[in-house]
Amino acid sequence: MVRTALRAILGAEEDLEVVGEATTGAEAVSVVRELRPDVVLMDVRMPEVDGIRATEQLLGGMDSPPRVIVVTTFENDSYVYDALRAGASGFLLKRSGADELVQAVRLVARTDSLLFPSAVRALAAEHAQARRAKTAAGKLRAQLSDREAEVLRLMARGLSNAEIAEQLVLGAATVKTHVAGALAKLGVRNRTQAVIAAYECGFVSPR
């Protein structure tokens, strides 16, 4: 029922095309590898292989992997947090309206913005302390240049590259370079993983 509703909503948009669907996590990995979509809506709880493992397999085993949006019932679910740590770009609640769903897919596919930043920050604040990484904030800070550290803090607040450029009075290309540098030094794939890492090591503190 959920897949049927998602297909109907997304398929009605002129700029979006639903290229496939799957019933299990294992099938999802196979279908995505075959069809190469730009964005995957991944249920966090599925038979055979759950959404966390499926996300890890896709992002770790493909050249130019898709961006993954986790679809879930509960926003504070630890499974969602694990999926974000695994590289999902963000999450979407199953009760979300059609407009919110379409906006989320477009945002993840086309922009550098964090999907629903306040929700991601709240989730990180709730779970990061319990899963505190071994890397200390000081060690992380030493890896980053001063500008990369500034950019990471602004990313954690949910700012896009354009917004960071405006706040730091930098060119868009310069910000993009600093973002790429921070992601590389953190060993993460995207902004969401960077935010999670920043919270877990204490570089960014919940407020």
Side-chain angles (χ1 to χ4, degrees), residues 100-121:
E100 195 170 30
L101 168 65
V102 171
Q103 175 191 1
V105 171
R106 287 177 176 149
L107 183 71
V108 165
R110 298 177 178 174
T111 76
D112 54 35
S113 296
L114 197 65
L115 180 59
F116 307 134
S118 60
V120 171
R121 291 199 305 271

Side-chain angles (χ1 to χ4, degrees), residues 136-171:
K139 183 177 179 180
L140 172 61
R141 177 63 186 84
Q143 295 175 346
L144 303 175
S145 69
D146 290 343
R147 192 62 88 180
E148 287 168 347
E150 284 184 296
V151 167
L152 178 58
R153 289 192 178 93
L154 294 176
M155 275 198 289
R157 287 171 46 191
L159 274 64
S160 67
N161 283 2
E163 292 167 333
I164 293 172
E166 181 178 358
Q167 180 148 337
L168 297 181
V169 194
L170 296 172

Side-chain angles (χ1 to χ4, degrees), residues 44-45 52 72-86 91 93 118-134 192 195-202 204-207:
V44 73
R45 297 175 184 264
I52 303 166
T72 181
T73 302
F74 306 107
E75 61 257 55
N76 63 348
D77 195 331
S78 62
Y79 281 86
V80 176
Y81 185 76
D82 286 337
L84 297 181
R85 292 183 88 233
F91 69 94
L93 297 179
S118 60
V120 171
R121 291 199 305 271
L123 193 66
E126 180 175 352
H127 292 277
Q129 181 64 40
R131 311 199 189 180
R132 181 75 50 157
K134 294 181 180 179
T192 304
V195 172
I196 297 294
Y199 272 93
E200 284 196 342
C201 75
V204 175
S205 301
R207 295 181 179 179

Side-chain angles (χ1 to χ4, degrees), residues 31-44:
V31 169
V32 170
R33 286 174 174 167
E34 177 186 356
L35 299 178
R36 311 289 298 191
D38 297 305
V39 177
V40 175
L41 294 176
M42 182 77 75
D43 197 323
V44 73

